[in-house]
Amino acid sequence: MRIESRQEFEAAVAAARQQGADRRREVLVCCGTGCLANGAAAVAQEFATRIEADGLDATLALHAKKTGCHGFCERGPLVVVQPEGILYTKVKPKDVAEIIDKTVAKGEVIPRLLYKDPTDKKAIEHYADVPFYKHQVRVSMRNIGRIDPADLDDALAHGAYAGLARALFDLTPDQVIAEVEASGLRGRGGAGFATARKWKATRKAKGERKFVLCNGDEGDPGAFKDRSIMEGDPHAVIEGMAIGAYAVGAREGYIYVRDEYPLAVEHVNLALAKARERGLLGDNILGTGFSFDLRVSRGGGAFVCGESSALMRSIEGKVGEPRAKYVHASDRGLFDLPTVLNNVETWSDVGAILEHGGAWFAKWGTAKSKGTKAFSLVGKVKNTGLIELPMGTTLRHIIFDIGGGILKDRPFKAVQTGGPSGGCLPADKLDLPVDYEVLTANGSMMGSGGMIVMDDRTCMVDVARYFLKFLVEESCGKCIPCREGLKQMLHIFDDLVEGRGKPGDIERIERLSRGMQLGSLCELGKSAPNPVLSTLQHFRHEFEEHIDAKTCPAGMCRELTVYQIIEDPCTGCHLCTRVCPTAAIAGKPKQKHVIDPALCIACGACFDVCPEDAIRFLPKKHEGGGHAPAGH
Amino acid sequence: MPRLVIDGKTVVAKEGTFLLQAARDAGIDIPTLCEHPAVEPYGGCRLCLVDVTRPEWDGWSKMVVSCLFPVEDGILVSTRSERVTQTRKVVLDLLLARCPETPLVQELAAEHGIDRTSYVPNPEPTDCILCGLCTRICDRLGTSAISSANRGVGREIAPPFHEAPPDCIGCLACAEICPTGFIQYQSGSARRVIWNKEFKMLRCPTCGRGHITEDQARYYDGRNGVPARYFEPCDACKRKEQAAIAVSLMAAPEGR
């Protein structure tokens, strides 16, 4: 039924809340992409089957809900039993009967399914006590994991569209912009442009027809926050965009989602249909006379289409390539009409800001970076997943308290932030508070919130080369500095990791980087040297060792490294022979093993798995050339 | 009209024009490779980069491509600042690595003091500099028969699926506008071949020469309503015919 007034909206919210309250017991099954990959669909199905077969909805008032990503993907599939908030990890369909019989029916906790703290091995019962969650402050991800994204009433019960209702019923467009300005919200897609300024410019721009766009073309390696928001709480995006449209005077918008996110496309489309059905989108929203509608535009998966001008060309049906932006999108954007483009997370913040007020959001953060920020925490960290924290949180807190520290307690080496436009920060930067300014000042950037943690078994030259390879494939190729520059930069890095580095390479890298920064057409090319320059800034000695001594200090560059088994500590446990991909390790059980150098590809799998530290790596001797001694 | 200073010279430019034009009108040369008056500016070759600042910007300046930057009142433009020259050199050095055997690129690089690329030369030298002039003129004519395909290092100019392009009318605009002669074709009185597509020529009834393809004549008929028979006599024969009429008129006694 369409909601056509403030009273009807309030009644709809109250009814939705009552429905939630009637379900005294609730089981939340995470059905985010990570948990689905681990088999969450079967777990959810098992709950549904049992509830229906045994009539548990009547006897126990039990309801099973498929939610979006809880963020703790490392431990999935996740199940939360409400109202106690008991968190079960790595749940399998065969565990379902036990969860219902013991936890739901009798309130007994099942210890074997509980999360165990990796530091003290103690089991933790409650969701809210798990360190991964305890330190988080969720705004853009406020309802992910709590609601069923396919159920609009469930979203309403959890506060969805309350910000839109306030904007439309109580505020003028200028007051809405003032509220966003007071929040200090800046673009969560990475560049950090002040959202209110963008909106003001678009509001002022001449023209009847204006657009609001959502950038859901998240493509950085290791980043998945936008995906989780679109999958787990699409209403937050829709609500934010409707508020933005009201503020700038737009009646139309597009959500640009990459097609590699099929679940996001499905959930957003479903949410759009339901919002339209209830009068939260379309003509005469909430009976206020304001009309606005949204469509999904699916991207073909080019990284460059996350760049604003390329994204707009792509929606227009043209080749997704950037163009020079000496005229702002607020004046000439999509179809050359005034346009606001914001990131998924930015839009998701807007609804909460309008509901609670700009000052509420601005109470978190640093002087110039307000509010909270979502990060995808991945790499060599114990607790990988999706987190949201106040701006200004230190890297150390993120990596060691929330992330639980480095896998196998190896030494921390660097954290890469900001994806292919960002950079790597070393251990002496761990106490930096994370905000836009600090990251930029240290040669990295906020980017889309990807954080890749690296341990000592990471070659920084190779890391820079990885991002170059990514960008070589993702550059659109329109301008010479980016297309040809990346190709030549990769040539230099291929030489470095394969032992062909020569004096002067560092200077060549720096000169080419500067040419690309100054000469490239769009931000992809301008920022492409960032991963290179930041590793050079903080790990210059590693470059020098690759060039001068032809050695890889991390033992990761295969052409520069040989692996050997040290006799004494080797117990012949056989673990290494099992992981060796080329069967290069020979040895009888309980006897010393030996690596055949002719077969060994120096992948290092044996080194990583050896429990006795019996495997070492040495610089490979190069024909005719000197090499550094072992242990260099 | 906006007044600006380019390389120390005060220039009055027309409202709505771009810096490149304003500079050229003032006799200041800026190198370009992807610019052509027949098509919209593109900003791909990056050679026309200049430094732009304002007196009140406190020493801060930005680099822009002059082919796309609209003239503004009061700006100071440098077409040869240190970083502009350096960046231009990097761009030409990179382009020379891509096209080491292309005379146009060699000459332009040499003008900037680059005789050999300092990067790894393309093992399969090409004359295509990916300036996009061919695809833009094809779009401008409304045919859009060819396009850029793939991205990054794999980018190339190609007809759809590398097959004879169905929408090509054989007008040769792409080959004519190509600054390096990369786009090859054969054309005779009876047939023309470009992009692996063969065209029959519309032949002049007088001299028998083929000067336009049948597809081209049909395309103009459908687009502008110019009938195909208009194109039948070739330009030379048309002129001869007109001249003959003029001569006969002049020869006729006056006053009749």
Side-chain angles (χ1 to χ4, degrees):
Chain A
M1 204 182 66
R2 280 183 68 89
I3 304 171
E4 290 189 329
S5 67
R6 185 196 293 261
Q7 288 73 24
E8 284 179 24
F9 179 76
E10 282 163 5
V13 173
R17 288 212 173 117
Q18 188 54 50
Q19 190 192 12
D22 289 344
R23 297 170 183 159
R24 287 196 307 280
R25 307 305 308 261
E26 206 165 41
V27 176
L28 310 180
V29 184
C30 175
C31 287
T33 296
C35 283
L36 283 178
N38 281 322
V43 175
Q45 185 53 48
E46 183 68 15
F47 272 111
T49 310
R50 288 203 167 251
I51 288 170
E52 193 178 334
D54 302 344
L56 302 174
D57 45 345
T59 53
L60 292 171
L62 176 64
H63 177 75
K65 187 150 96 180
K66 288 203 247 182
T67 72
C69 179
H70 291 229
F72 205 8
C73 311
E74 178 81 29
R75 297 277 151 182
L78 304 173
V79 169
V80 179
V81 182
Q82 297 284 46
E84 298 92 331
I86 295 165
L87 172 71
Y88 289 139
T89 62
K90 301 200 173 189
V91 177
K92 297 196 170 50
K94 64 177 172 54
D95 302 322
V96 168
E98 195 179 349
I99 293 174
I100 293 174
D101 295 345
K102 288 192 178 157
T103 312
V104 178
K106 298 180 203 150
E108 284 172 27
V109 174
I110 306 165
R112 116 186 109 76
L113 294 174
L114 290 175
Y115 170 69
K116 283 163 201 76
D117 192 310
T119 40
D120 58 10
K121 312 278 177 225
K122 268 195 192 139
I124 301 171
E125 265 181 40
H126 294 100
Y127 191 90
D129 296 332
V130 175
F132 183 79
Y133 292 112
K134 196 165 70 181
H135 301 286
Q136 291 194 46
V137 179
R138 293 187 161 208
V139 175
S140 72
M141 304 199 294
R142 57 196 175 276
N143 280 341
I144 303 178
R146 298 170 67 207
I147 63 161
D148 176 352
D151 183 351
L152 177 56
D153 280 315
D154 196 21
L156 284 175
H158 288 84
Y161 298 101
L164 176 66
R166 178 172 170 241
L168 295 185
F169 293 129
D170 300 333
L171 303 177
T172 65
D174 285 323
Q175 287 172 320
V176 170
I177 295 178
E179 198 74 88
V180 174
E181 191 164 27
S183 76
L185 180 63
R186 293 168 63 182
R188 265 32 180 172
F193 194 83
T195 306
R197 262 177 74 193
K198 238 185 219 184
W199 290 17
K200 266 189 204 167
T202 310
R203 175 158 180 76
K204 271 197 211 131
K206 289 193 188 83
E208 276 297 294
R209 201 172 168 205
K210 298 177 183 179
F211 293 98
V212 292
L213 307 181
C214 173
N215 188 344
D217 193 56
E218 181 180 49
D220 296 8
F224 52 102
K225 67 174 178 66
D226 294 341
R227 174 185 204 154
S228 292
I229 294 173
M230 290 187 287
E231 288 178 356
D233 188 11
H235 290 290
V237 180
I238 297 169
E239 179 185 9
M241 292 183 78
I243 293 168
Y246 173 68
V248 304
R251 294 169 53 98
E252 306 162 68
Y254 288 89
I255 303 179
Y256 189 86
V257 191
R258 58 198 303 234
D259 212 27
E260 290 94 327
Y261 284 1
L263 195 63
V265 172
E266 186 188 325
H267 285 185
V268 169
N269 272 323
L270 192 63
L272 287 176
K274 298 212 165 179
R276 258 182 230 121
E277 207 176 278
R278 300 293 291 274
L280 293 159
L281 203 60
D283 286 335
N284 193 16
I285 294 174
L286 295 174
T288 59
F290 167 65
S291 300
F292 169 69
D293 211 345
L294 268 172
R295 265 189 282 180
V296 169
S297 179
R298 292 181 303 161
F303 177 68
V304 74
C305 284
E307 194 277 345
S308 64
S309 62
L311 183 146
M312 291 174 204
R313 298 295 86 73
S314 177
I315 294 179
E316 289 168 6
K318 296 177 183 152
V319 177
E321 277 171 11
R323 64 179 191 187
K325 287 183 289 188
Y326 304 130
V327 180
H328 291 294
S330 52
D331 286 314
R332 278 179 56 188
L334 184 67
F335 299 111
D336 283 342
L337 296 166
T339 303
V340 165
L341 171 68
N342 282 130
N343 172 260
V344 170
E345 186 187 345
T346 316
W347 284 126
S348 182
D349 282 330
V350 167
I353 289 169
L354 263 292
E355 184 186 355
H356 302 290
W360 167 81
F361 190 74
K363 74 183 179 197
W364 295 290
T366 58
K368 289 185 178 168
S369 303
K370 298 294 183 194
T372 59
K373 176 81 190 79
F375 296 100
S376 324
L377 184 63
V378 298
K380 299 287 179 66
V381 69
K382 283 175 189 158
N383 304 329
T384 58
L386 199 60
I387 55 173
E388 186 169 349
L389 294 158
M391 289 274 191
T393 307
T394 64
L395 286 165
R396 189 183 300 281
H397 184 62
I398 295 173
I399 295 164
F400 289 92
D401 296 336
I402 296 168
I406 310 301
L407 274 179
K408 298 186 186 169
D409 293 316
R410 297 198 68 91
F412 166 88
K413 183 163 187 180
V415 56
Q416 209 280 349
T417 75
S421 305
C424 298
L425 299 170
D428 63 4
K429 305 281 179 192
L430 273 174
D431 291 309
L432 289 179
V434 175
D435 71 9
Y436 292 102
E437 282 71 29
V438 169
L439 288 179
T440 307
N442 286 279
S444 188
M445 70 179 277
M446 184 70 79
S448 66
M451 268 192 192
I452 306 173
V453 179
M454 302 167 194
D455 64 8
D456 63 332
R457 290 277 292 153
T458 313
C459 168
M460 299 315 289
V461 178
D462 193 48
V463 166
R465 180 168 162 270
Y466 166 79
F467 283 103
L468 285 173
K469 273 185 94 165
F470 175 85
L471 289 167
V472 160
E473 283 165 23
E474 294 296 343
S475 160
C476 78
K478 179 174 174 177
C479 76
I480 297 171
C482 178
R483 182 187 67 231
E484 305 295 333
L486 279 166
K487 180 177 154 185
Q488 295 293 348
M489 190 79 93
L490 186 58
H491 273 312
I492 301 175
F493 274 78
D494 283 346
D495 283 352
L496 291 182
V497 302
E498 286 166 19
R500 295 186 301 271
K502 43 192 181 301
D505 275 351
I506 292 181
E507 292 70 26
R508 290 207 303 151
I509 290 168
E510 286 170 338
R511 193 166 59 242
L512 182 53
S513 294
R514 191 164 158 76
M516 291 172 67
Q517 286 176 324
L518 292 173
S520 295
L521 194 163
C522 79
E523 283 307 314
L524 190 152
K526 283 183 203 290
S527 64
N530 286 2
V532 171
L533 292 176
S534 74
T535 41
L536 200 49
Q537 180 188 343
H538 300 300
F539 301 93
R540 195 180 185 95
H541 60 97
E542 285 199 27
F543 282 73
E544 287 164 354
E545 284 181 50
H546 280 75
I547 294 168
D548 301 337
K550 307 276 184 281
T551 59
C552 174
M556 292 309 287
C557 292
R558 294 181 184 192
E559 296 299 322
L560 307 180
T561 308
V562 288
Y563 282 85
Q564 288 177 352
I565 295 174
I566 313 163
E567 271 194 29
D568 274 353
C570 177
T571 59
C573 73
H574 235 44
L575 271 176
C576 56
T577 57
R578 262 180 249 157
V579 296
C580 179
T582 57
I585 306 175
K588 295 202 175 88
K590 308 247 156 83
Q591 285 179 24
K592 308 278 174 242
H593 286 23
V594 182
I595 299 175
D596 179 351
L599 292 175
C600 177
I601 55 165
C603 68
C606 52
F607 182 96
D608 292 335
V609 75
C610 179
E612 308 294 337
D613 288 333
I615 293 170
R616 67 175 168 187
F617 57 86
L618 305 164
K620 194 173 187 168
K621 281 182 191 166
H622 279 264
E623 307 288 316
H627 72 90
H632 174 78
Chain B
M1 294 217 285
R3 288 169 74 87
L4 51 150
V5 178
I6 308 178
D7 292 346
K9 197 170 168 181
T10 302
V11 173
V12 180
K14 263 189 280 176
E15 191 80 51
T17 54
F18 296 111
L19 270 184
L20 179 65
Q21 194 55 49
R24 285 185 175 166
D25 289 347
I28 296 162
D29 184 47
I30 297 175
T32 58
L33 275 173
C34 69
E35 185 268 350
H36 192 283
V39 291
E40 296 267 305
Y42 184 64
C45 78
R46 318 304 290 170
L47 288 180
C48 71
L49 279 164
V50 295
D51 240 320
V52 170
T53 186
R54 282 178 175 280
E56 68 268 25
W57 281 358
D58 212 16
W60 186 80
S61 67
K62 60 178 174 182
M63 273 169 76
V64 301
V65 280
S66 55
C67 65
L68 276 161
F69 193 81
V71 291
E72 278 174 33
D73 200 53
I75 53 171
L76 306 172
V77 182
S78 170
T79 70
R80 51 200 73 226
S81 69
E82 172 67 17
R83 61 177 191 172
V84 164
T85 316
Q86 286 306 321
T87 308
R88 219 173 261 162
K89 271 187 155 175
V90 171
V91 172
L92 281 168
D93 200 350
L94 287 167
L95 189 60
L96 189 60
R98 174 186 169 85
C99 310
E101 295 170 6
T102 309
L104 176 73
V105 178
Q106 289 171 337
E107 285 159 26
L108 205 52
E111 279 172 31
H112 288 78
I114 303 163
D115 296 320
R116 273 185 52 199
T117 177
S118 60
Y119 299 106
V120 181
N122 194 347
E124 294 161 24
T126 171
D127 280 334
C128 179
I129 57 171
L130 291 170
C131 63
L133 280 172
C134 52
T135 59
R136 281 181 287 152
I137 196 77
C138 195
D139 284 342
R140 185 92 170 78
L141 288 163
T143 35
S144 297
I146 51 169
S147 164
S148 67
N150 303 321
R151 63 174 178 243
V153 285
R155 189 183 177 96
E156 57 180 335
I157 303 299
F161 311 109
H162 287 278
E163 290 166 4
D167 293 324
C168 179
I169 56 172
C171 71
L172 304 188
C174 53
E176 296 290 345
I177 204 170
C178 176
T180 62
F182 170 70
I183 300 174
Q184 303 283 315
Y185 64 92
Q186 291 109 44
S187 190
S189 278
R191 61 190 277 274
R192 178 179 284 173
V193 179
I194 187 166
W195 296 113
N196 279 328
K197 184 171 179 180
E198 189 169 329
F199 297 90
K200 266 173 80 178
M201 303 302 284
L202 196 67
R203 301 179 77 153
C204 173
T206 317
C207 68
R209 261 196 304 235
H211 58 104
I212 178 174
T213 67
E214 288 181 1
D215 291 53
Q216 211 178 340
R218 245 195 321 274
Y219 179 74
Y220 296 140
D221 188 3
R223 191 177 155 92
N224 304 326
V226 182
R229 66 171 182 280
Y230 169 81
F231 296 105
E232 275 180 15
C234 72
D235 284 352
C237 291
K238 250 187 222 156
R239 269 197 295 277
K240 272 185 205 158
E241 201 183 312
Q242 295 294 322
I245 294 168
V247 168
S248 70
L249 284 174
M250 278 191 278
E254 270 183 60
R256 288 234 186 129

